[in-house]
Coordinates of all heavy atoms in Angstrom, one line a residue:
I408 N -57.8 141.2 80.7 CA -58.0 141.2 82.2 C -59.4 140.5 82.5 O -59.6 139.4 81.8 CB -58.0 142.6 82.9 CG1 -56.8 143.4 82.5 CG2 -58.0 142.4 84.5 CD1 -55.5 142.9 83.2
W409 N -60.3 140.9 83.2 CA -61.6 140.4 83.6 C -62.5 141.2 84.3 O -61.9 142.2 84.8 CB -61.5 139.1 84.5 CG -60.6 139.2 85.7 CD1 -61.2 139.7 86.8 CD2 -59.2 139.1 85.9 NE1 -60.3 139.8 87.9 CE2 -59.1 139.5 87.3 CE3 -58.2 138.7 85.2 CZ2 -57.8 139.4 87.8 CZ3 -56.9 138.7 85.7 CH2 -56.7 139.1 87.1
N410 N -63.7 141.0 84.3 CA -64.5 142.0 85.3 C -65.4 141.0 86.3 O -66.1 141.6 87.1 CB -65.5 142.8 84.4 CG -66.3 142.0 83.4 OD1 -66.4 140.9 83.3 ND2 -67.3 142.7 82.9
L411 N -65.2 139.7 86.2 CA -65.7 138.9 87.2 C -64.7 137.9 87.7 O -64.0 137.1 86.6 CB -67.1 138.1 86.6 CG -68.2 138.9 86.4 CD1 -69.2 137.9 85.9 CD2 -68.7 139.7 87.6
D412 N -64.4 137.5 88.9 CA -63.4 136.7 89.4 C -64.1 135.6 90.2 O -64.7 136.0 91.4 CB -62.3 137.5 90.3 CG -61.2 136.6 90.7 OD1 -61.1 135.3 90.5 OD2 -60.2 137.2 91.2
T413 N -64.0 134.3 89.9 CA -64.7 133.3 90.7 C -63.9 133.0 92.0 O -64.4 132.4 92.9 CB -64.6 131.9 89.8 OG1 -63.2 131.6 89.7 CG2 -65.4 132.2 88.4
N414 N -62.7 133.5 92.0 CA -61.9 133.2 93.3 C -61.5 131.6 93.5 O -61.1 131.3 94.4 CB -62.4 133.7 94.5 CG -62.0 135.1 94.8 OD1 -61.5 135.9 93.8 ND2 -62.0 135.6 96.0
D415 N -61.8 130.9 92.3 CA -61.5 129.5 92.3 C -60.1 129.2 92.6 O -59.8 128.2 93.3 CB -61.8 128.8 91.0 CG -61.1 129.3 89.8 OD1 -60.4 130.3 89.9 OD2 -61.2 128.6 88.9
W416 N -59.1 130.1 92.3 CA -57.7 129.9 92.8 C -57.4 129.9 94.2 O -56.5 129.2 94.7 CB -56.9 130.9 92.1 CG -57.4 132.4 92.6 CD1 -58.3 133.1 92.0 CD2 -56.9 133.1 93.6 NE1 -58.6 134.2 92.6 CE2 -57.8 134.3 93.7 CE3 -56.0 132.9 94.7 CZ2 -57.6 135.3 94.7 CZ3 -55.8 134.0 95.7 CH2 -56.6 135.1 95.6
D417 N -58.4 130.5 94.9 CA -58.2 130.6 96.4 C -59.0 129.5 97.3 O -59.3 129.5 98.4 CB -58.7 132.0 96.9 CG -58.2 132.4 98.4 OD1 -57.1 131.8 98.7 OD2 -58.8 133.1 98.9
M418 N -59.4 128.4 96.5 CA -60.2 127.4 97.2 C -59.4 126.4 98.0 O -58.2 126.1 97.7 CB -61.0 126.7 96.1 CG -61.9 125.6 96.5 SD -63.1 125.0 95.4 CE -62.0 124.8 93.9
E419 N -59.9 126.0 99.2 CA -59.2 125.1 100.0 C -59.0 123.8 99.2 O -59.8 123.5 98.3 CB -60.2 124.7 101.3 CG -60.4 125.9 102.1 CD -61.3 125.6 103.3 OE1 -62.1 124.6 103.1 OE2 -61.2 126.4 104.2
P420 N -58.1 123.0 99.5 CA -57.1 123.1 100.7 C -56.0 123.9 100.5 O -55.2 124.4 101.3 CB -56.6 121.6 100.8 CG -56.5 121.0 99.4 CD -57.7 121.8 98.7
D421 N -55.6 124.4 99.2 CA -54.5 125.3 98.9 C -54.8 126.7 99.3 O -53.9 127.5 99.8 CB -54.0 125.2 97.5 CG -53.6 123.7 97.2 OD1 -53.1 123.2 98.0 OD2 -53.7 123.3 96.0
G422 N -56.0 127.2 99.3 CA -56.4 128.6 99.4 C -57.2 128.6 100.8 O -57.1 127.9 101.6
S423 N -57.8 129.8 100.9 CA -58.5 130.1 102.2 C -60.0 130.1 102.1 O -60.7 130.3 103.1 CB -58.0 131.5 102.6 OG -58.5 132.5 101.7
E424 N -60.6 129.9 100.9 CA -62.1 129.9 100.8 C -62.6 128.4 100.7 O -62.0 127.6 100.0 CB -62.5 130.7 99.5 CG -62.1 132.1 99.6 CD -62.8 133.1 98.6 OE1 -64.0 132.8 98.2 OE2 -62.2 134.0 98.1
T425 N -63.7 128.2 101.2 CA -64.4 126.9 101.1 C -64.9 126.8 99.8 O -65.2 127.7 99.1 CB -65.4 126.8 102.2 OG1 -66.6 127.7 101.8 CG2 -64.9 127.1 103.6
S426 N -65.3 125.4 99.4 CA -66.0 125.2 98.2 C -67.3 125.8 98.1 O -67.8 126.3 97.0 CB -66.0 123.7 98.2 OG -66.8 123.4 97.1
D427 N -67.9 125.9 99.4 CA -69.3 126.6 99.3 C -69.0 128.1 98.9 O -70.1 128.6 98.2 CB -70.0 126.4 100.8 CG -70.5 125.0 101.0 OD1 -70.6 124.2 99.9 OD2 -70.9 124.7 102.1
Q428 N -68.1 128.8 99.4 CA -67.9 130.2 99.1 C -67.6 130.3 97.5 O -68.1 131.3 97.0 CB -66.7 130.7 99.8 CG -66.9 130.9 101.3 CD -65.8 131.4 102.1 OE1 -64.7 130.7 102.2 NE2 -65.8 132.6 102.7
I429 N -66.9 129.5 96.9 CA -66.7 129.4 95.5 C -68.0 129.2 94.7 O -68.4 129.9 93.7 CB -65.7 128.5 95.1 CG1 -64.4 128.6 95.9 CG2 -65.4 128.6 93.5 CD1 -63.7 130.0 95.7
D430 N -68.8 128.3 95.3 CA -70.1 128.1 94.6 C -71.0 129.4 94.8 O -71.6 129.6 93.8 CB -70.9 127.0 95.4 CG -70.2 125.5 95.1 OD1 -69.7 125.5 93.9 OD2 -70.5 124.6 95.8
A431 N -70.8 130.0 95.8 CA -71.7 131.3 96.0 C -71.2 132.4 94.9 O -71.9 133.1 94.4 CB -71.6 131.9 97.4
N432 N -69.8 132.4 94.7 CA -69.5 133.4 93.7 C -70.0 132.9 92.3 O -70.6 133.8 91.5 CB -67.9 133.3 93.5 CG -67.2 133.8 94.8 OD1 -67.7 134.5 95.6 ND2 -66.0 133.4 95.1
F433 N -69.9 131.7 91.9 CA -70.5 131.2 90.7 C -71.9 131.6 90.5 O -72.5 132.0 89.6 CB -70.3 129.6 90.4 CG -69.0 129.4 89.8 CD1 -67.9 129.0 90.5 CD2 -68.7 129.5 88.4 CE1 -66.6 128.6 89.9 CE2 -67.6 129.1 87.8 CZ -66.5 128.8 88.6
Q434 N -72.7 131.3 91.7 CA -74.2 131.4 91.7 C -74.5 132.9 91.5 O -75.4 133.4 90.7 CB -74.6 131.1 93.0 CG -76.3 131.1 93.1 CD -76.9 130.3 92.0 OE1 -76.7 129.0 92.0 NE2 -77.8 130.8 91.1
S435 N -73.7 133.9 92.0 CA -74.0 135.2 91.9 C -73.8 135.7 90.4 O -74.5 136.5 89.9 CB -73.0 136.1 92.8 OG -71.6 136.0 92.3
F436 N -72.8 135.0 89.7 CA -72.5 135.4 88.3 C -73.6 134.8 87.5 O -73.9 135.4 86.5 CB -71.2 134.8 88.0 CG -70.0 135.4 88.7 CD1 -68.7 134.9 88.7 CD2 -70.1 136.7 89.4 CE1 -67.7 135.2 89.5 CE2 -69.1 137.2 90.2 CZ -67.9 136.4 90.2
V437 N -74.2 133.6 87.8 CA -75.3 133.0 87.1 C -76.4 133.9 87.2 O -77.1 134.2 86.3 CB -75.5 131.6 87.6 CG1 -76.9 131.1 87.1 CG2 -74.5 130.6 87.1
N438 N -76.6 134.5 88.4 CA -77.8 135.3 88.6 C -77.8 136.5 87.8 O -78.7 137.0 87.2 CB -77.9 135.8 90.1 CG -78.2 134.6 91.2 OD1 -78.6 133.5 90.6 ND2 -78.0 134.8 92.2
M439 N -76.4 137.1 87.5 CA -76.2 138.3 86.8 C -76.6 138.0 85.2 O -77.1 138.8 84.6 CB -74.8 138.7 86.8 CG -74.4 139.3 88.2 SD -72.5 139.7 88.1 CE -72.3 140.2 89.7
G440 N -76.4 136.7 84.8 CA -76.8 136.4 83.5 C -78.3 136.3 83.3 O -78.8 136.3 82.1
Q441 N -79.0 136.3 84.4 CA -80.5 136.2 84.3 C -81.3 137.4 84.7 O -82.4 137.4 84.4 CB -81.0 135.1 85.3 CG -80.4 133.7 84.8 CD -80.6 132.7 85.9 OE1 -80.6 132.8 87.1 NE2 -80.8 131.4 85.5
D442 N -80.5 138.3 85.4 CA -81.3 139.6 85.8 C -81.0 140.8 85.0 O -81.4 141.9 85.4 CB -80.9 139.8 87.3 CG -79.3 140.3 87.5 OD1 -78.7 140.6 86.5 OD2 -79.0 140.3 88.6
G443 N -80.4 140.7 83.9 CA -80.2 141.9 82.9 C -78.9 142.7 83.2 O -78.7 143.7 82.5
T444 N -77.9 142.1 84.2 CA -76.8 142.9 84.3 C -75.9 143.1 83.1 O -75.4 144.1 82.8 CB -75.9 142.1 85.4 OG1 -76.6 142.1 86.6 CG2 -74.6 142.9 85.6
F445 N -76.1 142.0 82.3 CA -75.3 142.1 80.9 C -76.0 142.2 79.8 O -75.8 141.6 78.7 CB -74.3 140.8 81.0 CG -73.3 140.8 82.1 CD1 -73.4 139.8 83.1 CD2 -72.3 141.8 82.2 CE1 -72.6 139.8 84.2 CE2 -71.3 141.7 83.3 CZ -71.4 140.8 84.2
A446 N -77.1 142.9 79.9 CA -78.0 143.1 78.7 C -77.3 144.0 77.6 O -77.8 143.8 76.5 CB -79.3 143.8 79.2
N447 N -76.3 144.8 78.0 CA -75.7 145.7 77.0 C -74.3 145.2 76.5 O -73.8 145.6 75.5 CB -75.6 147.1 77.5 CG -77.1 147.7 77.7 OD1 -78.0 147.6 76.9 ND2 -77.2 148.4 78.9
S448 N -73.6 144.6 77.4 CA -72.3 144.0 77.2 C -72.0 142.9 78.0 O -72.7 142.7 79.1 CB -71.2 145.1 77.3 OG -71.1 145.6 78.6
G449 N -71.1 142.0 77.8 CA -70.9 140.8 78.5 C -69.7 140.8 79.6 O -69.3 141.9 79.8
C450 N -69.4 139.7 80.0 CA -68.3 139.5 81.0 C -67.2 138.8 80.5 O -67.4 137.9 79.5 CB -68.9 139.0 82.3 SG -69.7 137.4 82.0
I451 N -66.1 138.9 81.2 CA -64.9 138.0 81.1 C -64.7 137.5 82.4 O -64.5 138.3 83.5 CB -63.7 138.7 80.5 CG1 -63.9 139.3 79.1 CG2 -62.5 137.9 80.6 CD1 -62.7 140.1 78.5
V452 N -64.7 136.2 82.5 CA -64.6 135.6 84.0 C -63.3 134.8 84.1 O -62.9 134.2 83.3 CB -65.8 134.6 84.0 CG1 -65.9 134.0 85.5 CG2 -67.2 135.3 83.7
L453 N -62.7 135.1 85.3 CA -61.4 134.6 85.7 C -61.8 133.1 86.2 O -62.4 133.1 87.4 CB -60.7 135.4 86.6 CG -59.3 134.9 87.0 CD1 -58.4 134.7 85.8 CD2 -58.7 135.8 88.0
E454 N -61.2 132.1 85.6 CA -61.4 130.8 86.2 C -59.9 130.1 85.9 O -59.1 130.8 85.3 CB -62.4 129.9 85.5 CG -63.8 130.4 85.7 CD -64.8 129.4 85.0 OE1 -65.0 128.3 85.5 OE2 -65.5 129.8 84.1
H455 N -59.6 128.9 86.5 CA -58.4 128.5 86.5 C -58.4 126.9 86.1 O -59.1 126.2 86.6 CB -57.7 128.7 87.8 CG -57.3 130.1 88.0 ND1 -58.2 130.9 88.5 CD2 -56.0 130.8 87.9 CE1 -57.5 132.1 88.5 NE2 -56.3 132.0 88.2
E456 N -57.2 126.6 85.3 CA -57.0 125.2 85.0 C -55.9 124.8 86.0 O -55.1 123.9 85.8 CB -56.4 125.1 83.5 CG -56.2 123.8 82.9 CD -55.6 123.9 81.5 OE1 -55.8 124.8 80.7 OE2 -55.0 122.9 81.1
L457 N -55.9 125.4 87.1 CA -54.9 125.2 88.1 C -54.6 123.9 88.7 O -53.5 123.4 88.8 CB -55.1 126.3 89.2 CG -54.1 126.4 90.3 CD1 -52.7 126.8 89.8 CD2 -54.5 127.4 91.5
N458 N -55.8 123.2 89.2 CA -55.7 122.0 89.8 C -57.0 121.2 89.5 O -58.0 121.7 88.9 CB -55.3 122.0 91.4 CG -56.2 123.0 92.0 OD1 -57.4 123.0 91.8 ND2 -55.8 123.8 92.8

Side-chain angles (χ1 to χ4, degrees):
I408 310 288
W409 57 84
N410 57 352
L411 296 179
D412 184 354
T413 65
N414 273 20
D415 60 348
W416 56 272
D417 195 28
M418 186 164 42
E419 295 175 341
D421 298 326
S423 61
E424 295 195 37
T425 65
S426 179
D427 286 347
Q428 286 175 298
I429 305 304
D430 284 337
N432 294 337
F433 272 101
Q434 184 62 60
S435 69
F436 301 162
V437 166
N438 294 346
M439 290 178 185
Q441 297 167 327
D442 66 13
T444 300
F445 296 109
N447 297 316
S448 60
C450 56
I451 295 176
V452 186
L453 181 61
E454 298 181 66
H455 289 78
E456 189 184 330
L457 181 62
N458 54 45

